[in-house]
Amino acid sequence: MNGITLSPQQLAVAQASLSCRLFLEGVAGTGKTTAGVARMHYLLKSEIPADRLLVLTPQRTLAQPYYDALRSPDTPGGGVVTVTTIGGLARRMIDLFWPLVAEEVGFQRPADRPVFLTLETAQYYMARIVTPLIEEEGYFDATTIDRNRLYSQILDNLNKAAVVGFPPGEIGERLKGAWMGDLVQARIYDQAQACALRFRRYCLAHNLLDFSLQIAVFAEHLWEEPLCRDHLTETYTHLIFDNVEEDTPVAHDIVYSWLGTVESGLVIFDHGAGYRSFLGADPVSGHMLQDLCDEQRIFVESFVMSGSVTALGAAFDRVLRPSVPDGETAPPIGDAAPLAPAPTADSVTGNNGIRATLHFGNRRFHHQMLDWVVAEIQALVRDKDAFPGDIVVLAPFLTDSLRFSLAHRLHRVGIPVRSHRPSRALRDEPATQTLLTLAALAHPEWEILPSRYDVTDALRHAIHELDLVRAQLLAQIVYRPHRGQPELTPFDEIQPDMQQRITFVFGGRYEALRTWLAAYRTRQAAPLDHFLSRLFGEVLSQPGFGFHRDVDCGLVAAMLVESVQKFRWISADLADNRRPLGREYLEMVRQGVIAAQYLAPWQEEEQDAVLLAPAYTFLLSNRPVAYQFWLDVGGLGWWERLYQPLTHPFVLSRRWPTGKVWTDADEHALRQRGLQRLVLGLVRRCRVRVYLGLSDYSEQGFEQEGPLLGAVQQILRRFQSERGGV
Amino acid sequence: MLPESFSFSQASLQDFVACPRRFQLRYLLRLRWPAAEVEPIEEHERRMMMGRTFHQMVQQQHLGVPESRIERGASDPDLLRWWQNYCVYRPVTSFSGDAASASARSEVTLSATIARYRLVAMYDLIVVEPGKRAVILDWKTSDTRTSEAILRERMQTRIYPYLLVQVGAALNCGQLIRPEMVEMIYWFPAFPDAPARLPYDADHFSRDGAFLEQLIERIADMEEDDFCLTSDLRQCEYCIYRSFCDRGIAAGNLDDVTAAYELQEGDVEVDIDFEQIAEIEF
């Protein structure tokens, strides 16, 4: 298998009987997924037809090792292994078996095709439903969060109902049952409930399926429909389910009943994980899949951590492990089984090992800490020949300003850097703004009047090499809004001295753009995505224009066209559309509902580059590195969770009894457990050394003394006292 | 230059044959370039969507969904006509016979390693009568009936039967499929009584194998500058990269598309990234 030598334990899993259902567990870094990939290869080499094999993971990034293996020329020819998620399976089955269940589910147009919503189009419909309630009936007037976060939390509640498996009508009761504060919050929960049900009714009336409805239709209807279930269980007779601890109870329920029918199964469980609990992950129900398996294997030996990193992990585990006195409630979300016992610090390399593994940079101000981080990275790359790709810089939340500060500093010293997402949302890209401004100019009937600043910017980006001064001058002269409608006047109507200042080269290009727009205005308006496609192909990407051979502009334009197209497909046939769709799209962009996401990779990532990422994102990429830098170790962000006034991921989980009050003690235990889980997860993905970036004051200027800092201090105090004792 | 994990398909090899530069831009550099492929875009999109829906309706029927319920989803009159033609002509049974031992599989994907790279093919439907026949059925939803001579030259016609013989044993109870067992049939729902039937044999298999191996090796050995532009400028009229290559302004007209410049079917992917829910930032 691509030159990887498997351990005897891995080999035993890979080559287990072809009729065996195995439950494999262990902490991160013990080679479980490698064994899973080897198992897949073994099945294929054993002439199990590839199309009988299903590999499930909770999200696509976790399936990468399987994809990589399947693309290898060594993979036997024949059919193709299906690698997907339960969500992916749900979508495919709904598409195929829609005519069988549409009516039964309650869709009011069962003869029409289903319309699958993306996260942003779901937000769009939620905005349509909730906005009148906010503006006319005073919904959520006691909360101060951004509207888009409000919409996403209502959607999140629906998603939780679907993936946990309770009716969406119970959301409000469950949230209120756990609440013991003022009545205002209870009213907010009632309003969130009402919005969720209105949204669901709207979806059923218009054949719209957001993520929650896709999961509910699959789990509650299609999985019970013999034609669909037989199709799945007869097609896939060998199952590998990796990272089950990150998947949801409903996914576990489905696989629980599926495992009984397969010829072979391998279920892989990562101890101490469950990082996606925010999205409904439930390690407890995942661990129950063990009941259906014939054998259980536990991997203990880490292939990642050095001895001293193992000792560091043990030290963190000791100081962060929540203590639950007898008779008290256990932490609300926990592992099904205790974390696999890690070696004690002293038993591996002793405290000296920890000291060699943990490096500090304690500075007064935040920017000084960043300088220290960059200097250390520079030293690693220049002096110790470390690969930039083997270094990751982590923070609990990576703000845009923090990312920019770090990336800028690293670029300055010539170290390549990559981030978990592009620096700008689609709507903020200059190419997007240029295209949308030109769209507004081409559609006066939309009655959208771009500002002179927007027109200047659009001209500057649309016309190759047009500088800001000339663009401003040109816009000032030619952009003449008339009776509330945008108008561009011809270049040859400009006074000759101004023409010369702008130059005839730029004037010619401007004129080509203007006449193209003017010609378009004489015809019947096209759908916005078709308009953008033509504008891009016939003008902006032609020689002399700003997008010519610019691959980044091409990518941004392609994503915009795709976003508009999806928007048109989901909303074109709704009877209550009174405004042109193009205008509606621009309006939604302006409000930040649409084109605000980072849905696709912006560009090919440079792999050998320092990664800047939020800690949880790094954990879910499941890729160990040699060196980790943890920023703002004194910050509370490592311990706190997001402010979510309309939802509660743990109260809405299957682990929380309906009606049980969520207390401060529960909240504290949850945070403590979360910190332990996070820190151990990071350490288990580190091969050589952890660098702790500390500053007395945070990025915002507040003093920092969070629990992670407390844990580090405890470890150091213990180290010093033991050293003093020697 | 090719990454080891690169996979070839009939579409990518057809693009290479049409224009090596297009292959490079689309599959190696993965350049997104949202210019129109053909005009009018609206009509092209309608036809592509219809093609996709028709394929799905046939798959539904094959999986056992009642035909009456499937038909309710055919809102476009042309699509309804295609579907009714399908129900009247029953291409699966009429071309594969009624042998009780025959088994049909829809939307099958096969892949094999050729010259160190994966070659992948997605079949609309394969009917195998073990040890006797293996019929590949492909639904061609274009509004023209392409001639056999042109179809014979298409990459799809060379790759699909070849891969089925090469790696399709699992569909034939584990026994190798002999080339003579294979027939490739293009069925046109708009021209239901004029299918294109292309038998296969050992000669074809041997020639196709050598051809594909050479072609893939040639591509694998090419340097970045070797991917030249086509000399056939008509190809550029139906290529999204025409402005990138300075090969024209407006897209060609859909009505002027001839079989030689046939557009790739099924490119319209209505697929929405439903897994993005998992990608929310914590």
Side-chain angles (χ1 to χ4, degrees):
Chain A
M1 203 185 75
N2 286 341
I4 294 176
T5 306
L6 298 175
S7 70
Q9 291 78 16
Q10 288 174 318
L11 215 50
V13 168
Q15 298 182 356
S17 152
L18 297 181
S19 57
C20 173
R21 282 168 295 195
L22 265 178
F23 190 85
L24 171 60
E25 55 188 317
V27 298
T30 51
K32 300 184 299 301
T33 295
T34 303
V37 172
R39 173 66 172 172
M40 178 178 75
H41 260 280
Y42 180 74
L43 292 172
L44 296 176
K45 298 260 185 201
S46 303
E47 300 192 354
I48 301 292
D51 49 13
R52 297 285 177 218
L53 183 50
L54 175 67
V55 176
L56 282 175
T57 59
Q59 70 179 43
R60 276 179 309 176
T61 52
L62 292 168
Q64 198 56 46
Y66 295 92
Y67 286 123
D68 291 344
L70 289 170
R71 287 194 198 106
S72 155
D74 301 336
T75 302
V80 172
V81 175
T82 301
V83 183
T84 188
T85 62
I86 285 289
L89 219 47
R91 161 71 203 275
R92 276 171 54 190
M93 292 306 109
I94 293 169
D95 225 10
L96 279 178
F97 295 101
W98 171 257
L100 287 184
V101 292
E103 206 156 354
E104 170 195 319
V105 173
F107 287 100
Q108 288 170 29
R109 290 152 52 174
D112 294 348
R113 293 184 52 75
V115 178
F116 296 96
L117 298 180
T118 62
L119 196 56
E120 73 171 5
T121 50
Q123 288 219 144
Y124 163 71
Y125 280 110
M126 187 60 83
R128 282 173 65 123
I129 287 160
V130 177
T131 301
L133 296 172
I134 293 174
E135 292 175 356
E136 292 159 25
E137 299 184 33
Y139 270 45
F140 307 116
D141 54 2
T143 58
T144 53
I145 60 166
D146 172 75
R147 281 212 188 164
N148 293 325
R149 285 191 58 209
L150 196 143
Y151 307 144
S152 70
Q153 285 181 39
I154 300 169
L155 288 169
D156 196 45
N157 281 340
L158 282 164
N159 292 340
K160 289 292 186 312
V163 301
V164 173
F166 62 85
E170 289 183 12
I171 294 167
E173 285 310 311
R174 284 175 180 247
L175 290 169
K176 283 194 299 182
W179 175 251
M180 61 171 182
D182 56 30
L183 287 175
V184 175
Q185 183 61 43
R187 189 160 57 91
I188 289 171
Y189 288 145
D190 281 336
Q191 290 168 344
Q193 171 71 80
C195 292
L197 291 180
R198 277 197 190 210
F199 178 80
R200 176 58 61 89
R201 282 196 296 272
Y202 191 87
C203 287
L204 290 172
H206 295 90
N207 282 15
L208 305 174
L209 288 103
D210 66 321
F211 179 79
S212 71
L213 202 43
Q214 290 172 37
I215 294 294
V217 169
F218 179 58
E220 294 164 22
H221 299 273
L222 284 172
W223 187 243
E224 302 303 323
E225 162 62 51
L227 206 57
C228 174
R229 188 169 177 147
D230 291 350
H231 167 64
L232 283 173
T233 54
E234 285 166 16
T235 301
Y236 302 114
T237 51
H238 297 267
L239 182 65
I240 295 175
F241 190 6
D242 202 343
N243 288 111
V244 290
E245 76 290 342
E246 302 296 349
D247 223 324
T248 62
V250 161
H252 297 144
D253 293 345
I254 289 167
V255 174
Y256 196 91
S257 51
W258 201 336
L259 265 178
T261 70
V262 296
E263 288 175 30
S264 84
L266 172 61
V267 178
I268 301 177
F269 183 94
D270 195 348
H271 269 294
Y275 306 115
R276 287 166 32 108
S277 53
F278 204 79
L279 297 170
D282 190 336
V284 177
S285 60
H287 203 270
M288 286 176 187
L289 293 173
Q290 183 183 219
D291 303 345
L292 267 288
C293 293
D294 311 311
E295 291 181 40
Q296 183 197 10
R297 305 282 169 88
I298 301 176
F299 282 2
V300 177
E301 186 191 351
S302 172
F303 292 99
V304 175
M305 293 186 287
S306 63
S308 50
V309 176
T310 305
L312 176 66
F316 268 121
D317 193 18
R318 206 164 43 221
V319 299
L320 289 172
R321 187 181 285 270
S323 54
V324 185
D326 288 344
E328 281 194 17
T329 320
I333 298 289
D335 291 284
L339 295 178
T344 63
D346 299 334
S347 70
V348 185
T349 55
N351 284 329
N352 286 337
I354 295 179
R355 194 68 193 90
T357 302
L358 211 52
H359 278 223
F360 305 93
N362 198 356
R363 299 291 183 271
R364 186 167 173 73
F365 295 109
H366 192 264
H367 66 92
Q368 293 170 326
M369 178 195 68
L370 299 185
D371 290 339
W372 171 79
V373 167
V374 172
E376 290 293 331
I377 291 174
Q378 202 176 6
L380 281 174
V381 173
R382 299 242 169 108
D383 306 337
K384 300 199 172 171
D385 294 331
F387 291 108
D390 230 357
I391 301 170
V392 62
V393 183
L394 303 165
F397 305 104
L398 195 63
T399 62
D400 283 348
S401 62
L402 177 56
R403 186 178 31 225
F404 175 80
S405 302
L406 268 171
H408 181 66
R409 281 171 166 82
L410 287 166
H411 278 310
R412 218 168 40 198
V413 295
I415 293 176
V417 61
R418 64 194 177 99
S419 184
H420 67 297
R421 64 169 167 84
S423 57
R424 278 191 294 244
L426 181 58
R427 70 181 176 137
D428 296 326
E429 285 292 326
T432 301
Q433 293 179 344
T434 299
L435 286 161
L436 295 183
T437 300
L438 295 175
L441 294 175
H443 296 89
E445 69 278 11
W446 293 354
E447 297 173 341
I448 294 177
L449 210 54
S451 69
R452 183 153 283 131
Y453 171 82
D454 289 339
V455 175
T456 300
D457 225 34
L459 290 173
R460 189 163 70 91
H461 287 104
I463 296 172
H464 184 55
E465 291 186 334
L466 180 65
D467 55 83
L468 181 61
V469 174
R470 286 188 174 88
Q472 273 175 333
L473 191 61
L474 186 60
Q476 205 170 359
I477 298 168
V478 299
Y479 181 47
R480 298 290 165 103
H482 180 65
R483 293 185 179 169
Q485 294 205 333
E487 290 291 342
L488 291 174
T489 58
F491 185 73
D492 58 13
E493 289 179 10
I494 301 177
Q495 290 182 357
D497 58 329
M498 286 299 170
Q499 285 181 331
Q500 279 177 1
R501 277 183 66 187
I502 292 163
T503 79
F504 285 92
V505 173
F506 292 134
R509 291 172 188 167
Y510 161 73
E511 200 50 24
L513 173 63
R514 189 196 68 79
T515 50
W516 191 92
L517 293 171
Y520 173 81
R521 282 169 67 155
T522 62
R523 298 192 295 267
Q524 190 185 4
L528 178 57
D529 50 316
H530 296 173
F531 165 83
L532 294 173
S533 197
R534 290 179 179 122
L535 175 64
F536 174 87
E538 296 174 19
V539 185
L540 299 181
S541 66
Q542 292 290 335
F545 291 89
F547 294 11
H548 184 55
R549 291 194 179 154
D550 186 325
V551 294
D552 289 335
C553 283
L555 180 57
V556 171
M559 289 179 65
L560 181 68
V561 168
E562 193 179 305
S563 168
V564 178
Q565 187 183 54
K566 285 177 180 171
F567 181 75
R568 175 167 59 84
W569 282 344
I570 60 133
S571 51
D573 61 344
L574 296 187
D576 52 352
N577 267 323
R578 277 157 283 168
R579 292 195 291 187
L581 277 179
R583 177 185 164 168
E584 182 83 351
Y585 184 86
L586 260 66
E587 195 60 33
M588 290 297 115
V589 171
R590 193 184 60 76
Q591 290 177 20
V593 176
I594 277 180
Q597 323 270 348
Y598 313 90
L599 296 179
W602 221 237
Q603 53 212 10
E604 286 294 304
E605 279 187 346
E606 188 175 356
Q607 286 305 310
D608 191 19
V610 175
L611 173 67
L612 314 179
Y616 280 109
T617 305
F618 170 70
L619 285 178
L620 288 170
S621 71
N622 218 0
R623 191 180 68 95
V625 294
Y627 305 100
Q628 293 182 5
F629 287 78
W630 301 358
L631 301 184
D632 298 322
V633 169
L636 278 174
W638 291 94
W639 191 68
E640 285 178 330
R641 60 188 182 90
L642 284 178
Y643 172 60
Q644 292 185 298
L646 272 61
T647 184
H648 196 303
F650 302 101
V651 165
L652 295 183
S653 77
R654 203 176 270 188
R655 301 300 123 223
W656 196 255
T658 307
K660 185 172 186 294
V661 172
W662 179 264
T663 64
D664 288 347
D666 293 320
E667 183 69 30
H668 185 274
L670 172 79
R671 292 181 185 196
Q672 201 63 20
R673 184 73 169 159
L675 179 62
Q676 181 213 20
R677 197 183 290 255
L678 172 61
V679 167
L680 291 185
L682 293 178
V683 172
R684 284 168 184 156
R685 287 165 177 82
C686 180
R687 285 199 293 272
V688 182
R689 191 175 300 151
V690 175
Y691 291 78
L692 303 180
L694 300 152
S695 63
D696 295 343
Y697 295 98
S698 70
E699 195 179 4
Q700 291 78 25
F702 299 112
E703 282 195 77
Q704 306 203 94
E705 289 180 11
L708 177 56
L709 180 60
V712 171
Q713 286 166 341
Q714 273 191 56
I715 292 172
L716 292 178
R717 270 199 298 274
R718 186 187 168 102
F719 164 68
Q720 280 171 344
S721 69
E722 286 177 6
R723 201 169 64 162
V726 175
Chain B
M1 180 178 174
L2 276 184
E4 194 187 71
S5 59
F6 188 84
S7 291
F8 286 93
S9 64
Q10 64 92 9
S12 66
L13 288 172
Q14 191 69 52
D15 271 340
F16 180 82
V17 171
C19 175
R21 177 67 167 153
R22 185 195 298 175
F23 171 88
Q24 184 191 34
L25 294 174
R26 179 172 284 166
Y27 300 101
L28 297 182
L29 303 177
R30 289 196 252 170
L31 177 64
R32 303 276 303 270
W33 206 247
E37 187 178 14
V38 67
E39 286 283 4
I41 307 176
E42 292 82 350
E43 178 58 16
H44 181 49
E45 184 180 292
R46 186 185 77 88
R47 291 188 195 178
M48 298 289 270
M49 295 287 275
M50 263 194 344
R52 180 188 181 275
T53 308
F54 178 77
H55 278 75
Q56 190 176 53
M57 291 167 81
V58 173
Q59 196 188 2
Q60 288 172 331
Q61 188 256 2
H62 179 71
L63 290 173
V65 178
E67 288 176 8
S68 57
R69 292 210 190 185
I70 299 172
E71 185 169 309
R72 287 195 308 185
S75 50
D76 188 294
D78 288 340
L79 179 62
L80 183 61
R81 184 167 52 85
W82 290 358
W83 172 250
Q84 287 169 343
N85 286 341
Y86 177 84
C87 292
V88 170
Y89 283 84
R90 303 267 167 204
V92 180
T93 43
S94 65
F95 294 123
S96 58
D98 276 326
S101 59
S103 66
R105 301 273 300 274
S106 66
E107 304 296 323
V108 178
T109 303
L110 293 179
S111 81
T113 298
I114 295 178
R116 308 188 313 281
Y117 291 93
R118 303 295 288 181
L119 176 61
V120 182
M122 294 176 72
Y123 299 77
D124 289 341
L125 201 119
I126 300 175
V127 186
V128 176
E129 199 181 335
K132 292 181 182 166
R133 299 185 69 201
V135 178
I136 301 167
L137 277 159
D138 192 83
W139 321 126
K140 278 273 171 247
T141 53
S142 52
D143 66 341
T144 52
R145 200 292 193 182
T146 315
S147 73
E148 273 82 351
I150 287 171
L151 286 169
R152 273 252 177 244
E153 294 305 310
R154 306 244 356 132
M155 281 294 148
Q156 186 180 12
T157 310
R158 308 191 78 158
I159 291 170
Y160 281 34
Y162 176 80
L163 272 189
L164 183 59
V165 172
Q166 185 81 341
V167 294
L171 303 170
N172 188 37
C173 302
Q175 303 298 308
L176 283 178
I177 292 177
R178 285 173 283 109
E180 290 74 14
M181 290 167 62
V182 176
E183 184 180 20
M184 174 108 194
I185 300 176
Y186 291 102
W187 189 75
F188 301 81
F191 308 92
D193 49 2
R197 303 185 65 155
L198 306 171
Y200 206 59
D201 58 28
D203 272 357
H204 278 110
F205 178 69
S206 156
R207 269 186 279 135
D208 288 343
F211 169 77
L212 291 169
E213 184 129 354
Q214 279 173 12
L215 185 62
I216 290 173
E217 273 177 359
R218 186 180 146 208
I219 297 171
D221 290 342
M222 286 172 82
E223 297 293 330
E224 198 176 330
D225 295 337
D226 295 340
F227 292 89
C228 55
L229 286 164
T230 178
S231 55
D232 178 2
L233 295 182
R234 281 222 59 202
Q235 294 284 357
C236 305
E237 288 181 34
Y238 303 102
C239 175
I240 57 169
Y241 297 116
R242 77 185 74 79
S243 61
F244 194 87
C245 303
D246 295 344
R247 285 282 182 97
I249 295 176
N253 196 291
L254 189 57
D255 293 334
D256 299 333
V257 175
T258 64
Y261 301 95
E262 191 180 323
L263 303 167
Q264 296 281 359
E265 276 184 27
D267 278 356
V268 170
E269 186 48 70
V270 195
D271 206 353
I272 285 170
D273 186 4
F274 44 87
E275 290 172 29
Q276 61 182 268
I277 189 71
E279 312 293 344
I280 299 172
E281 191 184 344
F282 279 84

